Amino acid sequence: MPTPVRTRFAPSPTGYLHIGGARTALFNWLYARKHGGNFILRVEDTDEARNTEEARQAIFSSLEWLGIDWDEGHEAGGDCGPYFQSQRQDIYATWFKKLQDAGRVYEDDGAWRFRFERKPITMQDLVCGEVTIDYTDESNTPDMVVRRSDGSFVFHFVNVVDDLEMGLTHVIRGEDHLMNTPKHLQLFEAFGKVPPAYAHIPLILNADGSKMSKRDTGAAVHEYPDRGFLSDAVINFIALLGWSPKDDSEIFPLSELIERFSLEGINRSPSRFDWDKATWMNQQHLLKLPPESFAEAGLPYLQSAGMETPDNFTLMAKSVQEKVQLLSEVPEAIRFYLGEGVEFDPPALEKLSGNEAAPKLLTVLAENFRALPDWTSPKDAIATSAEAEGLKPGKLMFPLRVALSGKTGGPDLGDILSILGRDESIRRIEQTIATLQDA
């Protein structure tokens, strides 16, 4: 029977969760979920000078928002704890003693160095392929410090001990760790243990090819909710930063991502972060929401904008669902429905003012709106008015849109008329006629 898959994400709580860290967590999570294994959250918090509780909570909350849950770790428990490195010092001391007993460490100016075996180390990386580091020449590969003079243990040592103790079968991590892996393999060999399989994923670069820093747009995961992203859209976007389903598919629900994910699909070359692609992908996920769910998701942004929730907010939200890319755009997209009077965008009013026939056409429309027996199909009056003037209906739609919304674009005119109602629609048309005549 094969060994159950066990993967992990091991962040250091020195700042917010970076998009690169989120992708590492996601790939480990997807691999574990696909193979029915366990995903472990382990916190590397031995850097007391830089670790903060705020950063720790920011990482947890960002992972939770993304929907990346863990089977072992913070608040989940597990049989391989503690899951904070700061609480594992006795465990590290025990394994360090094994190296001492085996003669694989020696003291050097108060620190302790691990004695490399002077031979080539070859690893079969599941993404990068075969990688060999030759440790024959000590001048190029000096023995590494595993315990500092103050008694603390270095990353390479605790990383290997934790992976060993927690029974990791696969370590999926950034390519910047690739050259560390032969060191880790030597430690596993010194302990007489079988190492996990390694897969090193490519870096994420900015659109211009520069390295993505913490200050770049899109780098901080905790900013995505405020900007109006759905978590499923962000997961979808992150997954495609370095992984490909090997076809033209781009929009995936989480269940399909789990089903289709494979290490073989991870690209070898660095991926480019594209903010426009991220917002487009969010729009595709917004379009798939039922109108009620879209309105519910947009409501917090309305409240953040200081706007009261109108009684027919669901209808208003539904009318702009195809027009927004981010939930944070919903308040501005529906603002024209609210309040009294039309606020004209200057370009829209300028374009309308250049149409000498607009006042007459709007007057005819207002009269025909009044004459309708009911308000179930107000768009019918547009065709009637156009026919009476010997015009195509399209000639009336732009003046009417500006009169009702003050904008050149927006929701379907039928939706606008239905939501505003007969009286408000006529009042806005008359206001626009007066504005044009005063211009």
Side-chain angles (χ1 to χ4, degrees), residues 16 67 221 224 292 301 314 335 353-354 376 379 412 418 420 422 436:
Y16 59 74
V221 174
Y224 282 82
E292 295 76 12
Y301 299 89
T314 298
R335 192 181 297 276
S353 298
T376 55
K379 282 184 76 172
D412 181 84
S418 177
L420 290 177
R422 187 201 308 260
L436 293 173

Side-chain angles (χ1 to χ4, degrees), residues 99 160 284 333:
L99 293 181
V160 166
Q284 304 313 301

Side-chain angles (χ1 to χ4, degrees), residues 150-361:
D150 64 3
S152 62
F153 296 98
V154 303
F155 160 78
H156 302 293
F157 178 76
V158 299
N159 187 272
V160 166
V161 169
D162 288 345
D163 286 350
L164 193 160
E165 282 260 332
M166 295 179 185
L168 273 297
T169 61
H170 296 77
V171 172
I172 305 167
R173 59 189 182 186
E175 195 177 48
D176 50 329
H177 285 292
L178 181 62
M179 291 299 100
N180 292 331
T181 304
K183 301 175 184 177
H184 299 175
L185 292 176
Q186 286 234 29
L187 282 168
F188 274 105
E189 186 176 342
F191 288 133
K193 301 294 183 179
V194 177
Y198 288 93
H200 290 86
I201 56 183
L203 300 176
I204 299 175
L205 304 177
N206 286 313
D208 63 2
S210 61
K211 186 177 180 180
M212 196 172 192
S213 75
K214 291 184 177 182
R215 293 174 297 278
D216 289 325
T217 299
V221 174
H222 71 271
E223 294 180 357
Y224 282 82
D226 293 338
R227 291 175 180 267
F229 282 85
L230 293 173
S231 58
D232 282 357
V234 177
I235 283 287
N236 192 165
F237 176 68
I238 293 174
L240 294 177
L241 288 174
W243 170 80
S244 170
K246 302 305 182 185
D247 60 26
D248 294 332
S249 304
E250 291 189 294
I251 308 302
F252 302 102
L254 196 53
S255 58
E256 189 174 347
L257 273 177
I258 293 172
E259 179 183 341
R260 301 188 65 169
F261 182 78
S262 70
L263 297 179
E264 290 77 16
I266 295 177
N267 302 324
R268 183 65 186 88
S269 57
S271 53
R272 300 289 182 101
F273 184 93
D274 185 338
W275 181 256
D276 291 338
K277 185 64 172 288
T279 55
W280 172 84
M281 191 165 288
N282 193 66
Q283 183 181 39
Q284 304 313 301
H285 281 265
L286 290 178
L287 290 172
K288 292 180 178 294
L289 292 178
E292 295 76 12
S293 299
F294 174 76
E296 183 179 355
L299 185 58
Y301 299 89
L302 199 70
Q303 296 167 340
S304 294
M307 298 166 62
E308 293 187 6
T309 307
D311 293 337
N312 54 352
F313 172 62
T314 298
L315 288 175
M316 293 180 183
K318 179 183 177 182
S319 75
V320 301
Q321 187 168 357
E322 295 183 357
K323 304 296 180 181
V324 301
Q325 289 188 307
L326 302 169
L327 289 168
S328 55
E329 297 170 356
V330 171
E332 190 58 37
I334 70 162
R335 192 181 297 276
F336 75 90
Y337 284 123
L338 310 174
E340 296 183 3
V342 182
E343 293 185 12
F344 297 99
D345 287 346
L349 183 58
E350 182 180 352
K351 188 173 181 180
L352 186 59
S353 298
N355 184 349
E356 295 180 357
K360 179 184 177 184
L361 295 175

Side-chain angles (χ1 to χ4, degrees), residues 349-408:
L349 183 58
E350 182 180 352
K351 188 173 181 180
L352 186 59
S353 298
N355 184 349
E356 295 180 357
K360 179 184 177 184
L361 295 175
L362 290 173
T363 300
V364 172
L365 268 173
E367 291 173 353
N368 286 330
F369 281 151
R370 284 194 184 91
L372 288 174
D374 57 49
W375 199 244
T376 55
S377 300
K379 282 184 76 172
D380 292 346
I382 300 175
T384 303
S385 303
E387 185 178 354
E389 297 298 314
L391 300 171
K392 293 182 178 180
K395 292 293 184 180
L396 276 69
M397 288 184 176
F398 177 76
L400 179 58
R401 177 176 295 283
V402 176
L404 296 177
S405 69
K407 302 175 183 297
T408 58

